[in-house]
């Protein structure tokens, strides 16, 4: 199995591209944001606890998402690899993922980082707020906080992965199709 991280700030297109890439390359798309929103929609105790953290644009505790991902890794069969979207988001989550994969004789093979201008991120999320109903898209201050949290807590993972030789920057500006072609070229190199 070949395993990819799709990485980048809020609004960089991780979710949009992951759905298309997972279909094209038979990858299992695991999005912790989608999993958490599913808990909220289902009205679970976990969802109730996490929803106020998410609506402020803060990160939920590491152990919550690590447990979610571990459960999904073990229940997945028949795909060519994993495409992790929105996970890991801290260095501690990255180390936990490496451990989870290592004990299953796998590794993170490539980190695809979408590079998008700040103004474009904000523009995309404000536009999405009109249809998404996501509380974290509705308030521009929460969007800015999500970008700040990304810079403070998530961006350090790039250096961590660069040192492991798996960092692959990808231009995330332009049309969805053009970005998809760029990402597809990187993925093909690994398969
Ligand atoms: P999560 O769901 O992961 O949200 P995010 O990282 O803020 O990412 P977004 O979904 O906002 O953006 P995206 O990069 O996926 O872009 P998208 O493709 O949607 O996390 C939400 C919250 O959950 C976090 O804040 C945190 O509280 C919690 N959480 C999740 N994972 C966690 C973890 N591991 N640890 C701790 N907490 C965690 O695109 C955005 C919009 O732009 C869409 O409308 C799309 O149509 C549009 N668009 C995409 N590409 C283009 C393009 N090329 N041109 C024009 N528009 C485009």
């Amino acid at each position: 199995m070949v395993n990819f991280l799709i990485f980048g700030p809020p609004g960089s297109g991780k979710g949009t591209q992951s759905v298309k890439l997972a279909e094209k390359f038979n990858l299992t798309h695991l999005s912790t944001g989608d999993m958490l929103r599913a808990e909220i929609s289902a009205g679970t105790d976990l969802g109730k606890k996490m929803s106020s953290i998410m609506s402020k644009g803060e990160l939920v505790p590491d152990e919550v998402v690590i447990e979610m991902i571990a459960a999904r890794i073990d229940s997945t069969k028949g795909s060519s690899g994993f495409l992790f979207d929105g996970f890991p988001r801290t260095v501690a989550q990255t180390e936990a993922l490496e451990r989870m994969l290592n004990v299953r004789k796998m590794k993170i093979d490539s980190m695809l980082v979408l590079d998008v201008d700040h103004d474009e991120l904000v523009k995309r999320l404000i536009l999405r707020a009109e249809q998404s109903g996501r509380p974290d898209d509705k308030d521009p201050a929460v969007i800015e906080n999500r970008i700040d949290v990304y810079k403070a807590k998530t961006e350090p993972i790039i250096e961590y992965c660069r040192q492991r030789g798996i960092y692959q920057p990808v231009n995330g500006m332009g049309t969805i199709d053009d970005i998809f072609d760029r990402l597809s070229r990187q993925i093909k190199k690994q398969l």
Side-chain angles (χ1 to χ4, degrees):
M1 288 178 77
V2 186
N3 303 308
F4 300 89
L5 309 184
I6 186 156
F7 207 84
S12 56
K14 303 181 295 291
T16 305
Q17 297 294 340
S18 292
V19 171
K20 290 161 67 71
L21 293 167
E23 192 186 350
K24 177 165 178 173
F25 294 105
N26 185 33
L27 297 169
T28 299
H29 173 209
L30 295 183
S31 157
T32 41
D34 288 350
M35 291 175 204
L36 289 162
R37 282 185 289 278
E39 294 283 337
I40 294 172
S41 303
T44 65
D45 288 344
L46 181 69
K48 282 177 197 148
K49 279 191 207 142
M50 297 306 125
S51 93
S52 72
I53 302 176
M54 291 170 70
S55 63
K56 290 186 208 121
E58 296 294 328
L59 297 183
V60 309
D62 285 342
E63 55 276 17
V64 170
V65 283
I66 290 168
E67 209 170 294
M68 285 178 156
I69 288 286
R72 293 297 183 98
I73 288 178
D74 284 333
S75 64
T76 297
K77 288 187 179 65
S79 76
S80 307
F82 291 101
L83 180 58
F84 296 98
D85 160 13
F87 179 89
R89 255 179 156 96
T90 61
V91 172
Q93 290 180 23
T94 316
E95 290 167 345
L97 177 61
E98 283 186 317
R99 282 194 297 274
M100 272 185 249
L101 293 174
N102 286 345
V103 295
R104 293 163 179 87
K105 308 268 182 283
M106 294 188 281
K107 61 184 180 8
I108 304 168
D109 293 280
S110 176
M111 174 205 223
L112 303 161
V113 183
L114 290 167
D115 194 8
V116 178
D117 293 352
H118 176 273
D119 290 354
E120 173 71 10
L121 298 173
V122 175
K123 197 176 90 186
R124 289 182 189 174
L125 294 177
I126 285 176
L127 208 65
R128 185 173 66 182
E130 288 166 17
Q131 326 100 358
S132 74
R134 269 178 64 165
D136 57 346
D137 281 347
K138 282 191 184 133
D139 180 349
V142 172
I143 291 178
E144 291 297 344
N145 188 44
R146 285 159 65 200
I147 296 172
D148 289 347
V149 168
Y150 172 81
K151 285 187 186 149
K153 298 192 173 157
T154 305
E155 229 170 33
I157 302 171
I158 293 180
E159 188 48 37
Y160 183 93
C161 288
R162 199 199 301 266
Q163 285 173 15
R164 280 157 176 71
I166 57 172
Y167 164 67
Q168 301 282 342
V170 175
N171 179 359
M173 299 287 288
T175 67
I176 290 172
D177 286 348
D178 285 347
I179 299 161
F180 179 63
D181 287 344
R182 289 174 205 141
L183 288 163
S184 295
R185 278 199 292 277
Q186 294 295 339
I187 289 184
K188 274 186 199 145
K189 285 186 200 163
Q190 304 285 328
L191 295 176

